[in-house]
């Protein structure tokens, strides 16, 4: 309930202005209430003959919908059911998922989302979002204008689709929107959840086209592509000047340079780089506190080097530099990258391989030169310190004695018993994160990690795993899921109307997430909080991001409270709730 102090904020819940009546209203997922329309709205909006006479509450609708959900044969069928529900009634959809979040999260997100994407064209119902074509760049202003005025859109998710290995981004967009609205808040009246940057049709059986599968001049390379992205960014900023832009699923060769190009100009965020980096770093910082290793002393080996690996390394080195006052170059020297064969190494969210090929697998070294991406160059080691025979993962672990071992390789079983036992011989609490998913692609099973380290390991994974029992102790496994992090970061960015998303703001977000780690009180507990708590986690993260934005002079919103408790109240009251709001007809 809105307090008297903040009741006049623009995002505080109140009546919705609805332009539809009759069947048009029932077809609008944003305004539709189905059997829950009250009597006076049935009269006002001419619905009496279109609905059964019995009026139900939202809770009764949720109960019925859950029974229907349970009747579906498998997780993909359940995912399809939920997608259909969202297309009919958004409030009911979000309320259902909120009510059964623990059970449904793996169905709407990792790992079922991969199956949903693979089957998207077969399961297609209706389009959502905005689709922009690389060969039609002169009308972006017109296309984006169809989503509302400058006050209507606060958050944009955009992708070129290069890191999505099947025909569609829209399942991705639906999942992003689900997680976003579910955990943080709903944008006023309109949402531009994802603008898909399309290219040239190659496979007529597909409903959508992927930039990463196009000829180089049409997809993620060349002047035409760069012009395409730039025109989108400029059009989006012109039409929605307050909007925060979230880059998603861009290919390895483009993700870093696009982020580098725009992060000093506009408020933006790359989830594969920064989101993955933030959530992994939060787990790592919690583990370092448990193991009593100082940040300035930590040694990290990353096996992967794709977009997620780069994001993790960047976030770790940025935090080391920020917190210890080391230079970025000095901080980068605490991280060692090891690549797998041909660098087909990534990505924790999907089985996507668009990475640049390196002739010889192993530790990244400077002599690789132009074969390294810009992001990888920061972490390449001097050749004279490493012979050709000691650049494999086991040799690097033997030589570095890392405190932390992180996998983003999608190479099952890459963290072998020899590697883990070698690591455990030199550190008291080995910190091991096999992050590749789906589950069949993980670098190691948590049960093996505890066995090989005699229960000393601190583990986080990229997919959900059940607790592990070792020598009579139950260990809960943390899942490094970006959805515990990016909603709070975006919430803070939007509510503060920040001019930019700074490195310090991301570090503040990481510290807020780390502070929620159950392992800080009991090392047998998970390193990260449960997804069920993510709405409250988002308040913590948003408060940290907003406070940092104010401190750095990047916040543009008026009236941001300086008192911490008032700030949290100010944030909570603007978070969207899954409840039906009164409708007011607009002629």
């Amino acid at each position: 309930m809105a307090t008297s102090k903040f009741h006049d904020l623009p995002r505080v819940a109140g009546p919705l202005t609805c332009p539809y009546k009759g069947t048009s209203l029932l077809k609008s997922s944003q305004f539709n209430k189905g059997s829950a329309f009250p009597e006076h709205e049935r009269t006002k909006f001419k619905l009496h003959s279109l609905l059964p006479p019995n009026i139900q509450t939202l809770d009764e609708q949720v109960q019925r919908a859950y029974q229907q959900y349970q009747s579906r044969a498998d997780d993909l069928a359940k995912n399809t059911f939920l997608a259909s529900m969202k297309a009919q009634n958004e409030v009911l959809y979000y309320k259902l998922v909120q009510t059964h979040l623990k059970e449904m999260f793996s169905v709407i997100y990792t790992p079922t989302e991969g199956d949903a994407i693979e089957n998207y064209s077969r399961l297609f119902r209706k389009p959502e979002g905005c689709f922009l074509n690389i060969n039609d760049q002169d009308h972006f202003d017109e296309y984006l204008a169809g989503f509302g005025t400058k006050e209507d859109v606060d958050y944009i998710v955009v992708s070129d689709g290069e890191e999505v290995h099947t025909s569609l981004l829209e399942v991705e967009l639906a999942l992003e929107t689900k997680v976003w609205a579910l955990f943080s808040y709903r944008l006023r009246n309109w949402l531009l959840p994802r603008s898909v940057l399309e290219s040239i049709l190659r496979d007529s059986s597909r409903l959508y086209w992927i930039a990463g599968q196009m000829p180089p001049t049409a997809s993620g390379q060349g002047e035409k592509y760069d012009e395409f992205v730039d025109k989108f960014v400029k059009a989006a900023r012109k039409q929605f000047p307050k909007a925060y832009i979230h880059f998603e699923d861009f290919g390895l060769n483009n993700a870093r340079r696009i982020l580098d190009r725009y992060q000093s100009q506009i408020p933006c965020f790359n989830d594969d780089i920064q989101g993955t980096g933030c959530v992994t770093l939060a787990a790592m910082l919690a583990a370092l506190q448990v193991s009593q290793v100082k940040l300035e002393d930590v040694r990290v080996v990353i096996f992967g080097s794709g977009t997620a690996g780069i994001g993790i390394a960047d976030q770790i080195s940025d935090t080391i530099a920020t917190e210890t006052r080391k230079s970025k170059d000095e901080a980068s020297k605490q991280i060692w990258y090891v690549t797998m064969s041909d660098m087909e190494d990534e990505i924790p969210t999907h089985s996507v391989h668009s990475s640049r090929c390196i002739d010889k697998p192993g530790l990244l070294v400077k002599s690789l030169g132009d074969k390294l991406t810009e992001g990888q160059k920061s972490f390449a080691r001097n050749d004279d310190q490493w012979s050709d025979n000691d650049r494999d993962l086991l040799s690097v672990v033997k030589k570095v004695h890392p405190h932390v071992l992180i996998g983003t390789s999608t190479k099952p079983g890459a963290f072998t018993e020899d590697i883990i036992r070698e690591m455990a011989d030199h550190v008291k609490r080995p910190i091991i994160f096999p992050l590749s998913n789906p589950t069949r692609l993980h670098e190691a099973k948590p049960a093996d990690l505890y066995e090989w380290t005699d229960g000393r390991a601190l583990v986080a994974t990229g997919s959900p795993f059940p607790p592990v029992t070792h020598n009579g102790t139950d260990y809960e496994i943390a899942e490094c899921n970006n959805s515990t992090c990016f909603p709070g970061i975006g919430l803070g960015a939007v509510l503060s109307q920040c001019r930019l998303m700074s490195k310090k703001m991301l570090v503040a977000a990481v510290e807020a997430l780390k502070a929620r780690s159950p392992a800080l009180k009991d090392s047998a507990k998970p390193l990260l909080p449960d997804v069920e708590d993510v709405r409250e986690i988002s308040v913590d993260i948003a408060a940290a991001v907003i406070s940092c934005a104010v401190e750095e002079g990047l916040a543009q919103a008026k009236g941001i409270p300086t008192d911490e408790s008032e700030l949290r109240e100010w944030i909570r009251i603007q978070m969207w709730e899954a409840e039906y709001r009164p409708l007011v007809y607009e002629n």
Side-chain angles (χ1 to χ4, degrees), residues 130-144 195-201 209 217-218 224-225 227-233 235:
C130 177
F131 300 84
L132 303 177
N133 193 305
I134 196 169
N135 295 316
D136 181 19
Q137 300 187 30
D138 296 330
H139 304 285
F140 286 2
D141 288 344
E142 174 190 343
Y143 297 155
L144 295 182
S195 296
V196 182
L197 307 184
E198 297 181 5
S199 276
I200 300 171
L201 179 64
W209 317 311
T217 55
K224 188 173 183 179
Y225 174 87
E227 180 184 14
F228 183 33
V229 174
D230 195 56
K231 282 190 175 181
F232 162 75
V233 171

Side-chain angles (χ1 to χ4, degrees), residues 239-432:
Q239 189 66 34
F240 311 116
K242 297 179 181 178
Y244 165 80
I245 296 181
H246 173 133
F247 295 109
E248 181 78 27
D249 287 336
F250 280 75
L252 173 63
N253 297 331
N254 290 317
R256 166 55 59 189
R257 66 185 189 85
I258 289 174
L259 181 62
D260 287 345
R261 178 175 183 177
Y262 293 108
Q263 66 181 348
S264 62
Q265 303 175 31
I266 63 172
C268 63
F269 177 83
N270 184 297
D271 189 43
D272 299 303
I273 294 175
Q274 295 167 303
T276 301
C278 283
V279 71
T280 305
L281 177 60
M284 190 189 88
L285 291 179
L288 291 178
Q289 184 169 329
V290 171
S291 58
Q292 298 182 326
V293 174
K294 295 180 180 179
L295 190 60
E296 58 262 35
D297 300 326
V298 69
R299 298 181 298 275
V300 181
V301 169
I302 298 176
F303 182 57
S305 306
T307 309
I310 289 294
I312 292 166
D314 277 339
Q315 198 62 54
I316 292 172
S317 59
D318 283 344
T319 302
I320 292 173
T322 300
E323 297 296 312
T324 68
R325 298 188 178 181
K326 289 185 178 182
S327 69
K328 183 65 183 290
D329 286 343
E330 288 178 306
S332 297
K333 291 177 181 177
Q334 294 179 225
I335 300 169
W336 289 258
Y337 264 84
V338 182
T339 67
M340 59 180 291
S341 178
D342 292 337
M343 282 189 57
E344 290 186 348
D345 60 353
E346 198 336 29
I347 185 169
T349 304
H350 309 297
S351 301
V352 181
H353 306 306
S354 62
S355 301
R356 184 179 301 184
C357 178
I358 286 180
D359 294 336
K360 185 179 294 185
L363 184 73
L364 294 184
V365 290
K366 292 183 178 178
S367 61
L368 290 168
D370 291 341
K371 293 178 182 177
L372 298 170
T373 67
E374 288 303 312
Q376 293 162 355
K377 288 177 182 178
S378 301
F379 303 99
R381 317 299 292 196
N382 291 323
D383 290 70
D384 57 7
Q385 299 173 4
W386 298 87
S387 71
D388 289 343
N389 297 323
D390 64 2
R391 296 178 187 173
D392 62 280
L393 182 58
L394 177 58
S395 297
V396 171
V397 169
K398 285 181 177 180
K399 189 170 181 177
V400 171
H401 299 164
H403 301 97
V404 183
L405 177 62
I406 297 171
T408 63
S409 68
T410 68
K411 185 176 181 181
F415 294 171
T416 63
E417 182 174 355
D418 287 347
I419 290 171
I420 300 305
R421 289 193 181 278
E422 175 66 30
M423 181 183 181
D425 282 345
H426 302 283
V427 294
K428 292 181 179 179
R429 300 297 303 268
I431 300 167
I432 308 169

